[in-house]
Amino acid sequence: MEQKDAPPPLMYRVERPVFDEAYLHTQLLHPRERSPKTIRQRLAQHCSSERAKAIALSFLPILTWLPSYPVKEYLFGDLVSGLSTGVMQLPQGLAYAMLAAVPPVYGLYSSFYPVLLYTFFGTSRHISIGTFAVISLMIGGVVVREAPDSMFMIQALNGTATNTTVFIDTEARDARRVHIAVVLTTLVGVIQLVLGLLRFGFVAIYLTEPLVRGFTTAAAVHVFISQLKYLLGIQTPRFSGPLSALHSVTAVFSDITSTNVTTLIVGGVCMVVLYCVKDLNERFKKKLPVPIPGEIIVVMVSTGISYGLSLSENYQVDVVRTIPSGLLPPAIPDFSLLPNLVTDSIAIAVVGFSMGISLAKIFALKHGYSVDGNQELIALGLCNFVSSFFHTFAITCSMSRSLVQESTGGNTQIAGLLASMVVLLVVVAIGFVFQPLPQTALAAIIMVNLLGMFKQFRDIPALWRTSKIELVSLDQSTWCWMSSETCDSASLFQAAECTGIKIFHSNSSIYFANSDLYLNALKEKTGVDPVHLQAIRKARKRKLKKESAERESQNHKSPQKMRGGSQNHLEVQGNGQVAETHTESDSEETRFLEPLCPVHTLILDWTPVNFIDSVGAKAIKLVIKEYAAVDVCVFIAGCSRTLLAELRTLQFFTGVVAPEMVFPTVHDAVLHCRRRTAPPTITESSP
């Protein structure tokens, strides 16, 4: 017996009668007549106990995982992750409060209340909620615009009526700025909460990846410039509005001769130390059990040096100064400030949600679960709205802290809860310890944490080569209409499905505004969700591991049995042949290797697709990789030559995607898939 080495080429032959629309409509398309439901049936459908339970679980996602929380498996990782993230959240909270133009202690409040609330209402298990540089900068711009230093200038007499000194009433200024930040946060929370209840979670898809990355890069430049005066110890006003960055740079360099050398040395040393620690963490992240907490080391050492050498009194180094102990009582925001803040609050609400949901989706895909965009809006809205009554400013998730929370073993938001407890401990018990902390050290923390955003400048040459439209962030929604109309190839024309093969057809192009809708429709119509299949695979692994451990334990108790439970036995059959029989471990392996679903192939019919951008191309490559991880192959059919040229320009055919996965017609793809999955042909060799 031998297998043929070179099978004959596949032949494409189609023979059928000529169809017209009348025949298709009357003979092949049989719409099902459905009788309308009665009011009682509709009420029973929407008011059932199952429906109420589903609503409760969707509103409080913690109820879906906390009752089955595996303590032995998850608790240690969540504990280490929570402590690591909390230690990192302390200095960032203090630093980002400076960006928001409020006293540092309010950054600690914003690192406690929202994190606590998100534990109960958020759907992501890995993102770290709290202060974030970009959102803090946006808040600071609004706060300084509404409460500039010029509003709080006070003239004081110097002994005579002709000699006066002008100074700023910082206490009154800071109190006013806190009120503005709190009201702005309240309005941001209301907007996010309303959008979530109205199911507007899809709005984030209109913020394309190039647009968001460009926005955060530009914001990083503004943040960096705003911290120069703290690094150099120069007293300059804070600017807002158009060209504020240029005005800030001009003010700093015009007063560069007033640089406090001690402040500059402290800040420079802090930046070098932080950069070296981050570089070590990146180089040895696979060997280090937890990242080295560079920020907290810098904060503690610089605070100790400042206190020991009295840098504030002896060298005029600006320090944090007063940090009140304990939590402030709740208070109702001053809603008379609302009219001037509506436009700004909408921008902050949308940008904050967009950053949060994008990072949440990345972690959800990596760990095999799903996040709900609408519930994330509700969760962020509640975090901002409720927390604003406790004197916080607007928050979102932080990329750097989220990476630490995930990489140190965090499995659920129990890690976030523990991180908030670390912040609470500092606020209640030891907040006074950080009063001598130099502001230049906080500026160093902010500047070094911006390095990741500055790396996004590398996107410019790549986008110039692939898509100049996305480079300038043009609004493609004006000329690309979103469509999610999909066709079920099985019901259309009453075609017979090929076993294990699903064909997906969508009457739209694929770009930033509808890529998520396209992928959601793909998973819904085909019934193949890779996240669900990954969860099944993990559950199967855990079950087999548990059964194997139980069997091993039984073997230890029964010495007469063979250890391992997977020994092979030899039997002599009647014909004298020795046959090998297998024990139950082989059947377990067979069970594990069973297909996760009956569908093994998906074919994307791109006949109607006229355009695809970089966001759409990345989304398709990502979903192909997702399906490959659960042993489902994806092929593409019906691409025009223009579309293929766009795909090559976007470097689509790299990594998991190859040109061999694209076919000119759906029928070509089906024939290829059927031969690929067919059992090998065995022929007898000639004597």
Side-chain angles (χ1 to χ4, degrees):
M1 303 286 287
E2 63 178 12
Q3 183 174 346
K4 286 188 176 181
D5 294 330
L10 286 172
M11 302 304 295
Y12 186 162
R13 298 187 182 91
V14 177
E15 184 175 354
R16 63 168 177 80
V18 175
F19 294 140
D20 57 27
E21 178 57 29
Y23 178 80
L24 293 176
H25 182 74
T26 58
Q27 301 297 324
L28 296 181
L29 298 177
H30 296 289
R32 298 178 180 178
E33 298 293 337
R34 298 182 178 179
S35 58
K37 294 183 178 179
T38 63
I39 297 178
R40 183 175 181 179
Q41 289 174 329
R42 293 179 181 178
L43 288 175
Q45 179 182 357
H46 294 284
C47 300
S48 62
S49 59
E50 291 80 7
R51 176 74 172 172
K53 181 180 178 181
I55 293 175
L57 292 177
S58 65
F59 186 68
L60 278 171
I62 190 174
L63 298 178
T64 62
W65 57 265
L66 186 60
S68 58
Y69 181 80
V71 177
K72 293 183 180 180
E73 187 176 352
Y74 282 1
L75 184 59
F76 180 75
D78 283 340
L79 179 62
V80 174
S81 175
L83 294 177
S84 302
T85 308
V87 165
M88 188 176 182
Q89 200 149 22
L90 288 171
Q92 288 192 1
L94 294 169
Y96 294 156
M98 294 171 54
L99 290 178
V102 296
V105 69
Y106 292 92
L108 297 181
Y109 299 154
S110 302
S111 300
F112 169 64
Y113 290 108
V115 181
L116 183 65
L117 289 169
Y118 187 82
T119 302
F120 296 91
F121 297 101
T123 59
S124 175
R125 304 175 191 173
H126 295 89
I127 63 173
S128 174
I129 292 295
T131 56
F132 183 57
V134 174
I135 298 298
S136 298
L137 178 70
M138 296 175 72
I139 296 169
V142 177
V143 165
V144 172
R145 184 193 69 205
E146 297 296 323
D149 290 341
S150 58
M151 289 180 58
F152 305 94
M153 295 289 189
I154 297 178
Q155 290 186 347
L157 297 177
N158 288 339
T160 63
T162 57
N163 294 330
T164 60
T165 301
V166 178
F167 67 95
I168 299 174
D169 186 354
T170 56
E171 185 175 347
R173 181 200 64 186
D174 290 347
R176 178 68 174 177
R177 288 180 173 180
V178 168
H179 288 157
I180 295 171
V182 167
V183 174
L184 180 64
T185 302
T186 305
L187 193 52
V188 168
V190 170
I191 292 171
Q192 290 176 331
L193 190 57
V194 170
L195 289 177
L197 293 174
L198 295 179
R199 320 303 290 174
F200 267 72
F202 67 89
V203 296
I205 64 178
Y206 290 100
L207 295 174
T208 68
E209 182 186 6
L211 178 61
V212 172
R213 291 171 70 87
F215 175 82
T216 54
T217 304
V221 174
H222 281 262
V223 172
F224 189 89
I225 291 173
S226 71
Q227 297 306 298
L228 288 175
K229 65 178 184 179
Y230 298 108
L231 182 69
L232 301 175
I234 298 174
Q235 302 296 328
T236 62
R238 181 163 178 168
F239 300 92
S240 62
L243 301 179
S244 59
L246 184 61
H247 295 319
S248 298
V249 172
T250 303
V252 168
F253 281 101
S254 63
D255 200 23
I256 195 72
T257 55
S258 302
T259 298
N260 186 316
V261 177
T262 306
T263 300
L264 178 59
I265 292 174
V266 173
V269 171
C270 290
M271 290 185 69
V272 172
V273 171
L274 283 172
Y275 180 82
C276 293
V277 170
K278 286 187 176 294
D279 187 63
L280 288 174
N281 285 336
E282 183 63 27
R283 288 175 181 269
F284 302 102
K285 59 183 178 181
K286 294 183 179 180
K287 297 182 179 180
L288 292 172
V290 294
I292 302 172
E295 285 91 349
I296 198 65
I297 292 174
V298 164
V299 165
M300 295 178 67
V301 173
S302 61
T303 300
I305 293 175
S306 175
Y307 178 78
L309 299 179
S310 299
L311 295 182
S312 177
E313 293 79 11
N314 297 336
Y315 300 94
Q316 289 72 53
V317 174
D318 292 329
V319 296
V320 170
R321 298 191 185 280
T322 305
I323 295 182
S325 298
L327 300 172
L328 297 178
I332 298 177
D334 184 4
F335 292 110
S336 63
L337 302 171
L338 283 179
N340 296 336
L341 306 177
V342 174
T343 304
D344 303 292
S345 61
I346 294 174
I348 294 173
V350 175
V351 172
F353 166 67
S354 175
M355 292 181 174
I357 192 64
S358 59
L359 201 57
K361 286 184 176 180
I362 291 174
F363 287 121
L365 174 62
K366 181 178 180 180
H367 294 276
Y369 64 93
S370 60
V371 292
D372 184 350
N374 294 310
Q375 180 59 30
E376 284 297 294
L377 261 177
I378 293 173
L380 286 176
L382 286 172
C383 290
N384 282 316
F385 177 74
V386 176
S387 300
S388 67
F389 291 86
F390 295 89
H391 316 281
T392 67
F393 54 86
I395 52 83
T396 185
C397 80
S398 164
M399 181 178 297
S400 58
R401 289 198 310 273
S402 298
L403 291 173
V404 169
Q405 182 166 319
E406 187 262 348
S407 63
T408 52
N411 297 291
T412 66
Q413 279 301 331
I414 294 295
L417 179 64
L418 294 173
S420 69
M421 294 298 106
V422 173
V423 177
L424 177 64
L425 175 64
V426 172
V427 172
V428 172
I430 58 174
F432 65 91
V433 172
F434 298 104
Q435 291 181 0
L437 173 62
Q439 291 186 3
T440 185
L442 297 178
I445 291 173
I446 293 173
M447 289 177 162
V448 174
N449 278 322
L450 295 174
L451 291 178
M453 294 186 186
F454 285 134
K455 292 179 181 178
Q456 295 175 159
F457 276 111
R458 301 171 183 171
D459 293 353
I460 294 177
L463 286 174
W464 176 262
R465 292 191 301 267
T466 58
S467 178
K468 296 179 179 61
I469 294 177
E470 292 176 271
L471 176 62
V472 295
S473 297
L474 293 178
D475 184 4
Q476 300 180 39
S477 60
T478 58
W479 53 275
C480 288
W481 292 95
M482 181 175 63
S483 171
S484 60
E485 182 184 353
T486 56
C487 293
D488 187 344
S489 60
S491 61
L492 187 62
F493 307 149
Q494 291 190 340
E497 284 193 359
C498 298
T499 304
I501 300 175
K502 292 281 187 178
I503 303 169
F504 180 74
H505 175 95
S506 177
N507 293 326
S508 70
S509 294
I510 305 171
Y511 57 106
F512 73 93
N514 74 341
S515 57
D516 276 356
L517 295 177
Y518 182 91
L519 299 184
N520 291 337
L522 169 64
K523 296 170 185 177
E524 178 185 353
K525 294 292 183 179
T526 61
V528 185
D529 187 345
V531 174
H532 178 64
L533 295 180
Q534 281 281 27
I536 294 175
R537 171 171 285 177
K538 288 184 177 180
R540 191 180 291 180
K541 277 186 176 180
R542 287 196 298 267
K543 183 178 180 181
L544 290 177
K545 184 178 179 181
K546 182 179 179 181
E547 291 177 354
S548 177
E550 290 177 353
R551 187 172 57 254
E552 187 74 17
S553 176
Q554 292 176 358
N555 289 338
H556 279 295
K557 295 178 182 179
S558 305
Q560 67 276 14
K561 294 185 178 181
M562 298 292 294
R563 288 182 59 86
S566 61
Q567 301 297 319
N568 299 333
H569 302 276
L570 299 180
E571 291 183 359
V572 180
Q573 297 180 344
N575 56 6
Q577 297 290 329
V578 178
E580 186 177 33
T581 61
H582 306 277
T583 55
E584 58 185 21
S585 64
D586 291 312
S587 63
E588 289 176 357
E589 183 179 358
T590 303
R591 271 191 296 155
F592 180 73
L593 295 176
E594 286 177 357
L596 296 173
C597 74
V599 177
H600 55 71
T601 303
L602 298 179
I603 298 175
L604 308 182
D605 182 5
W606 280 9
T607 307
V609 177
N610 298 314
F611 167 78
I612 188 170
D613 66 359
S614 65
V615 177
K618 288 181 180 178
I620 296 299
K621 290 188 69 172
L622 188 59
V623 82
I624 291 175
K625 185 177 180 180
E626 289 181 50
Y627 279 117
V630 291
D631 304 323
V632 176
C633 297
V634 179
F635 295 94
I636 300 170
C639 294
S640 65
R641 304 311 302 178
T642 304
L643 184 63
L644 286 170
E646 290 178 358
L647 292 174
R648 289 190 172 92
T649 303
L650 293 170
Q651 299 180 353
F652 182 72
F653 298 111
T654 57
V656 296
V657 183
E660 290 79 11
M661 299 167 64
V662 180
F663 295 88
T665 69
V666 172
H667 197 65
D668 286 301
V670 171
L671 292 177
H672 171 79
C673 296
R674 294 184 69 177
R675 184 174 72 172
R676 185 179 62 85
T677 57
T681 303
I682 306 298
T683 60
E684 292 189 7
S685 60
S686 58

